[in-house]
Amino acid sequence: MKKLIFPLFYTILLFTILTQFLACGSEQTSDELASGHLSRSFDGGYGQLEVGGPFVGAEFHGSQPVPTRLSFYYPVANSLDLSRDYWTRYNSHPLHIVFHSIAGNDTIGQKAWGYKYGPTHATFSAEFNGHEITLGYQFGETLPIMAMSLEINSSESTNTLDSIEVIWDLSIRTCHAYRWVTDITPEITSKRDFAVSYSDTGAANAALFIANFKASELSRKLIEGDAPKIGFNFDNGLSHSTLFSLTQVIGMCPSMELDSILAGLGDSWQNDIKAYEQRVSSYALNRSSFTVADPELQETIYWSKALQASNKHYIDGRIMPMPCPAEYNFFFTHDMLLTGQGNVNFDLSYLRDGFDWLIEHTLQDSIIPHAYYWREGEFVTEYCNSDNWNHLWFVISTASYLKHSADNEMVEILYPMLQKSIALMYENLGDDGLMYAKHPDGWDIGNVYGPRSYITILMSKALRDFVFISASLHKDLTGMAEHLALADELKQELNANLWNEDARYLLNILDQDELDTHYYTGSMLGVVYDMLDDHRSERLLQTVKDTLLDPQLGVRNVMPPDFHLLGDRYHFQGNEAGDPWVYANGGVWPQGNAWYVKALHANGQVEEALGALKKYMTIAGILNSPNGLPSFYEYRRSDPDSPRYGEIDKPSFLWAGGFYLQSIYQLAGYREDDWNQYFDVNIPQSLSNAEFDLNLAGKLCRVQNHGAGKWFEQILVDGVPSYSAIVTGPAKSISLKRGELTSPYLSSANCMIKSVTYGQNEMIIELEGLENMKFKLNIASPKDIKEAAFSEIPDAAPLEVAKIDDSNYAVLGVLHGAMSRIKLSFSGQ
């Protein structure tokens, strides 16, 4: 995606047209369909809410209908935010709405209202002194705006209102420095429009505008000073009308664009809002299909995809993924990479655009960014230190992208960056054969350098993925055998040195060989990535249930929650870990729940995995838990003795949707290993008829599940029988019927599988990897394997065939050259 050039309106309009064309298919989704799938109501009175669009986001607390924060992303990230303490930010509001009547003045929105919302909008409603009131918020697609709409329905007997006053605080805060800017200059004060500019380079000398529609303005008053405000007064014939309607369109832009944006606003803002809502709903409902019979799972599929379309904001000329609608107004490489592992299943552009961004912002020596944001007059890039986990997730996500896309051209460009990331991580390999890092687990806080389970697991996985990438691109494979050997050594040392038999868990070591006795969620990746034997996998997951799992909320990210007492030992900055059971200090995070689901599935506990997914990761499951909301979240408070138990922070969180999509694809049978895409026969009963679109070699393939059983009874690829659960190329459709084992098929392999054919009791398998690499093929068959040999190397050493049980066989050998072909002969008819 090319970098956008100012002025914003025209370039983003082009971006939007292209996005809609690619995402929407042949026709738009109806408003009724979107409303049914992407809208939820909540009357609990304690809801935290975030909604927004590409250019503006709004944050609400306590179900109050006036925002505590408005985040503007254009031209840079500035916000209307009066809070002085992050943990009590719900107390401050930059918007006040006052009802004036004969009986006196009433400021509305200070109490909880019920609301209905979706990823693109929110509408609050309440009854007040006989008046039915709604207060709604919507957002622009190409215009940097939010529309706030107030509607009051009154009966003739209750109509006592004289005027409505709307007051906006005009103090803004700059991104990352969080410095208040209060020096304003009025720019436009017309009958409809009001605007001020901020002569401050830290705020990019931006202008804030407010345009009034529908209601008649009685007066306005600009209050300058330490905390400047603007007050609008409306009557609109209130004394003799039963309906009052007002819309204020608020936004921010460069001062030089102010006239042009306001000039066209009246003719375009409503259509622009509709375009945004249609784009998001079309991406969620039409871009690709994933259908399941369970309505709770289906609803969350739609919402997860809608989050991927809505949690993208303007930054430095692009629209890029960011974690929240109204918070974290900067780009994190980690967010794009981890979320992209779910999206790549159906949307290749998500990671491809993210890779374009990394290419543009990577240093000349190929070190990738950690974060990118605006700070006090310039865009700042934080680059990854040598022990940063982004290096490893970058390799892992690129390998997944390559499997899904066959996009060798993009990965060729990324290759020097991948090499650099691997080289930097090698700097943290200890003499004990373990990987060292400063931070505990996958956190970005703390500073004690020692062996880490999380980084050791990821390094072993990333090394294997780097070898796959190199082999796929036909690179010089010198040194790749050493990478695979180190991957094996890391797995071995992980088990030998970081598995603690007393704890029944993978632990960490602090400096000076001191054992870190905390249980971290990242250790579950040892099961996900097959680093433990079956016995230890079972014991680790049982420890998760006994120690980390909150039965009502999900997996806490660490136990015990005592980091508030250990700031000096772990070198935390202040209370950045949070109070006990809060934030990093024992809160429940979406990745922990996703890794738990994936680990259970990898361990064969598929029904339990599905149960965890439904209870801890679906919209309905989250709503039906303590202090639950119909939402996603960054983290939840997990102290069962607190009245805030289960409280959600940062709803509509990007990762949560991405991790859910990863999990549901896996539970429906799609899997990846170091070399291949494949289908797992073992899935939950209720997903036995799941259907989904899946990217294979750059093309969407329709995958259909049928039946139930422990074997693939039939695999059809584009209607033709296949004898491989491993994907060997693109296809338009794949039908997977589970049931009885009727013919042999290849179930898994630890090398790249290029093709599989079967007929006349003979199977030919073409495989690829490294010369002299040991390989293992797993064959499911109702017939015995009589013979296994290289079909084109008559003098090669014989292949070993091991019969695991009555229907499972392992074929083992060593590759002669990077590519080999073997022939299996089966007995019987």
Side-chain angles (χ1 to χ4, degrees):
M1 183 169 59
K2 300 295 184 184
K3 186 171 181 178
L4 303 172
I5 308 298
F6 296 153
L8 165 88
F9 178 81
Y10 301 105
T11 52
I12 300 296
L13 179 61
L14 176 61
F15 166 83
T16 303
I17 292 171
L18 291 172
T19 302
Q20 289 179 341
F21 175 78
L22 292 171
C24 293
S26 59
E27 60 184 55
Q28 291 283 353
T29 303
S30 68
D31 292 340
E32 292 79 13
L33 184 60
S35 177
H37 289 301
L38 295 174
S39 182
R40 270 283 196 164
S41 298
F42 184 68
D43 296 314
Y46 55 80
Q48 186 183 146
L49 178 66
E50 285 193 41
V51 289
F55 304 102
V56 187
E59 177 185 356
F60 304 84
H61 288 264
S63 291
Q64 294 178 358
V66 290
T68 59
R69 168 181 173 137
L70 288 186
S71 289
F72 302 99
Y73 296 97
Y74 182 71
V76 298
N78 294 307
S79 61
L80 292 182
D81 176 11
L82 304 178
S83 64
R84 296 180 180 274
D85 180 354
Y86 177 82
W87 302 107
T88 59
R89 64 194 189 279
Y90 50 82
N91 288 327
S92 304
H93 300 91
L95 168 65
H96 297 272
I97 300 174
V98 183
F99 285 7
H100 298 281
S101 67
I102 297 173
N105 303 329
D106 294 288
T107 299
I108 68 166
Q110 304 299 303
K111 296 182 179 179
W113 292 14
Y115 60 81
K116 184 176 184 179
Y117 91 109
T120 61
H121 63 278
T123 300
F124 296 82
S125 58
E127 187 274 339
F128 176 77
N129 290 345
H131 307 285
E132 297 295 331
I133 309 170
T134 61
L135 192 56
Y137 301 87
Q138 295 173 291
F139 303 87
E141 167 77 340
T142 65
L143 294 170
I145 60 169
M146 180 190 79
M148 182 203 73
S149 297
L150 172 66
E151 190 168 288
I152 306 170
N153 281 287
S154 309
S155 66
E156 293 184 3
S157 61
T158 61
N159 188 8
T160 60
L161 296 177
D162 290 329
S163 65
I164 307 293
E165 188 175 12
V166 179
I167 304 167
W168 287 98
D169 201 293
L170 299 176
S171 304
I172 63 171
R173 298 182 78 173
T174 61
C175 177
H176 217 69
Y178 307 111
R179 177 177 54 83
W180 272 286
V181 179
T182 58
D183 184 15
I184 62 171
T185 302
E187 294 288 345
I188 296 175
T189 307
S190 68
K191 185 176 181 180
R192 187 196 73 182
D193 304 327
F194 170 81
V196 295
S197 62
Y198 301 87
S199 300
D200 188 285
T201 56
N205 299 308
L208 176 75
F209 60 85
I210 303 172
N212 297 308
F213 295 94
K214 298 183 180 181
S216 299
E217 188 177 337
L218 187 65
S219 64
R220 71 177 61 168
K221 182 179 181 181
L222 177 63
I223 306 169
E224 299 188 69
D226 293 339
K229 297 178 176 62
I230 179 65
F232 301 92
N233 206 302
F234 304 89
D235 69 349
N236 202 34
L238 277 168
S239 59
H240 54 271
S241 174
T242 59
L243 177 65
F244 174 84
S245 184
L246 162 69
T247 296
Q248 287 194 320
V249 175
I250 183 171
M252 189 169 281
C253 66
S255 297
M256 67 184 71
E257 293 181 16
L258 193 56
D259 290 338
S260 62
I261 286 180
L262 289 175
L265 200 59
D267 297 326
S268 60
W269 69 270
Q270 289 174 302
N271 287 334
D272 199 62
I273 284 170
K274 185 176 181 181
Y276 172 54
E277 294 182 344
Q278 286 182 336
R279 174 177 66 81
V280 173
S281 65
S282 185
Y283 185 90
L285 304 173
N286 292 350
R287 172 64 182 254
S288 64
S289 178
F290 196 124
T291 57
V292 293
D294 188 314
E296 294 180 3
L297 296 175
Q298 188 67 64
E299 177 189 38
T300 312
I301 290 168
Y302 289 141
W303 275 72
S304 296
K305 291 171 65 179
L307 277 191
Q308 312 314 306
S310 60
N311 277 8
K312 290 185 174 184
H313 305 308
Y314 179 90
I315 182 170
D316 194 17
R318 290 178 184 253
I319 307 294
M320 293 301 296
M322 296 189 200
C324 301
E327 297 183 73
Y328 285 136
N329 43 9
F330 23 84
F331 173 84
F332 286 116
T333 297
H334 175 270
D335 301 342
M336 180 272 292
L337 293 174
L338 271 294
T339 305
Q341 289 182 23
N343 296 352
V344 73
N345 290 303
F346 62 91
D347 180 9
L348 295 173
S349 67
Y350 193 93
L351 277 178
R352 185 172 60 240
D353 291 346
F355 291 151
D356 277 337
W357 176 272
L358 294 185
I359 292 166
E360 182 177 333
H361 293 87
T362 292
L363 288 172
Q364 289 185 349
D365 61 1
S366 298
I367 299 177
I368 61 173
H370 171 80
Y372 187 82
Y373 49 84
W374 174 264
R375 181 181 174 92
E376 296 301 279
E378 63 179 350
F379 284 102
V380 176
T381 306
E382 290 182 13
Y383 291 96
C384 293
N385 296 326
S386 68
D387 67 338
N388 190 297
W389 23 252
N390 270 310
H391 294 302
L392 304 176
W393 285 122
F394 175 42
V395 176
I396 294 168
S397 295
T398 302
S400 181
Y401 173 78
L402 183 57
K403 292 185 181 85
H404 282 282
S405 69
D407 186 359
N408 288 12
E409 182 179 358
M410 167 59 78
V411 181
E412 279 278 4
I413 299 171
L414 296 174
Y415 196 75
M417 300 155 60
L418 297 166
Q419 287 179 302
K420 187 68 172 186
S421 287
I422 291 292
L424 287 171
M425 289 305 300
Y426 259 97
E427 295 178 9
N428 300 283
L429 176 62
D431 294 338
D432 52 9
L434 296 169
M435 295 300 298
Y436 283 56
K438 293 178 296 185
H439 306 311
D441 212 47
W443 305 3
D444 57 1
I445 58 176
N447 189 6
V448 179
Y449 193 68
R452 301 284 182 265
S453 290
Y454 178 75
I455 295 297
T456 301
I457 294 165
L458 289 185
M459 183 64 168
S460 181
K461 169 61 175 168
L463 285 169
R464 298 178 192 276
D465 280 349
F466 182 68
V467 172
F468 160 76
I469 293 168
S470 301
S472 298
L473 298 182
H474 303 291
K475 293 291 185 182
D476 179 3
L477 299 182
T478 304
M480 295 300 158
E482 286 78 4
H483 286 327
L484 291 182
L486 177 57
D488 289 339
E489 181 185 350
L490 289 168
K491 179 177 178 178
Q492 177 180 326
E493 296 304 326
L494 177 81
N495 280 272
N497 295 315
L498 295 181
W499 176 263
N500 186 284
E501 191 60 33
D502 292 334
R504 299 179 305 168
Y505 208 69
L506 288 170
L507 300 180
N508 293 334
I509 297 174
L510 298 174
D511 53 5
Q512 301 174 352
D513 296 327
E514 178 186 346
L515 183 68
D516 184 345
T517 57
H518 291 88
Y519 297 77
Y520 297 98
T521 57
S523 294
M524 288 188 291
L525 290 174
V527 182
V528 174
Y529 291 137
D530 194 26
M531 300 288 165
L532 303 174
D533 62 28
D534 291 345
H535 176 67
R536 285 185 173 178
S537 291
E538 290 172 4
R539 298 196 75 182
L540 184 145
L541 287 171
Q542 186 60 51
T543 300
V544 172
K545 296 174 192 176
D546 296 341
T547 305
L548 284 171
L549 182 67
D550 181 303
Q552 300 300 313
L553 308 178
V555 180
R556 305 178 187 95
N557 72 322
V558 68
M559 284 294 285
D562 59 358
F563 284 104
H564 58 294
L565 305 174
L566 302 172
D568 291 341
R569 182 67 184 98
Y570 287 83
H571 297 179
F572 294 130
Q573 300 298 314
N575 192 32
E576 64 180 350
D579 292 332
W581 313 99
V582 176
Y583 197 57
N585 196 8
V588 173
W589 292 63
Q591 67 268 32
N593 285 328
W595 293 340
Y596 182 52
V597 168
K598 294 171 73 172
L600 286 170
H601 188 199
N603 200 49
Q605 299 166 256
V606 294
E607 298 298 340
E608 191 170 352
L610 180 64
L613 181 78
K614 287 194 63 174
K615 188 169 186 178
Y616 306 132
M617 297 186 71
T618 62
I619 296 290
I622 296 167
L623 172 63
N624 293 327
S625 62
N627 278 309
L629 306 170
S631 68
F632 296 103
Y633 55 87
E634 181 194 34
Y635 82 95
R636 305 186 70 176
R637 293 173 179 257
S638 64
D639 182 359
D641 296 324
S642 168
R644 302 177 73 178
Y645 174 51
E647 181 180 292
I648 284 169
D649 194 32
K650 303 184 190 74
S652 301
F653 201 67
L654 180 76
W655 301 359
F659 277 114
Y660 178 84
L661 291 168
Q662 289 182 40
S663 301
I664 193 69
Y665 265 93
Q666 177 169 327
L667 285 182
Y670 171 71
R671 302 288 297 276
E672 294 176 39
D673 59 24
D674 301 331
W675 291 95
N676 300 293
Q677 298 173 285
Y678 70 101
F679 296 104
D680 189 341
V681 71
N682 193 18
I683 65 174
Q685 176 66 35
S686 62
L687 295 181
S688 61
N689 292 311
E691 299 184 11
F692 51 90
D693 291 334
L694 176 67
N695 278 313
L696 302 177
K699 299 182 183 297
L700 274 181
C701 173
R702 183 67 171 171
V703 178
Q704 296 176 306
N705 287 317
H706 308 278
K710 57 186 297 187
W711 310 105
F712 283 121
E713 184 173 319
Q714 184 184 63
I715 301 172
L716 297 177
V717 177
D718 290 333
V720 178
S722 172
Y723 300 92
S724 174
I726 295 174
V727 176
T728 57
K732 293 181 180 179
S733 68
I734 295 178
S735 174
L736 303 164
K737 182 180 179 182
R738 292 168 175 83
E740 300 297 322
L741 182 59
T742 58
S743 59
Y745 64 87
L746 175 64
S747 59
S748 64
N750 65 349
C751 57
M752 193 184 308
I753 301 300
K754 306 300 289 185
S755 67
V756 178
T757 59
Y758 176 75
Q760 302 297 316
N761 285 326
E762 288 187 350
M763 180 177 286
I764 304 297
I765 304 174
E766 189 176 38
L767 43 95
E768 187 174 346
L770 305 182
E771 185 173 3
N772 297 320
M773 185 179 84
K774 294 180 180 180
F775 67 84
K776 178 182 179 183
L777 310 177
N778 292 309
I779 310 293
S781 175
K783 309 174 184 181
D784 288 335
I785 299 177
K786 294 193 304 181
E787 185 181 1
F790 289 99
S791 61
E792 297 175 348
I793 313 174
D795 57 344
L799 300 176
E800 178 185 351
V801 177
K803 188 171 183 178
I804 300 171
D805 56 37
D806 287 344
S807 303
N808 285 293
Y809 300 81
V811 178
L812 302 96
V814 177
L815 283 176
H816 294 262
M819 182 177 291
S820 295
R821 181 175 296 172
I822 67 171
K823 181 174 70 174
L824 305 180
S825 299
F826 297 86
S827 63
Q829 299 298 317

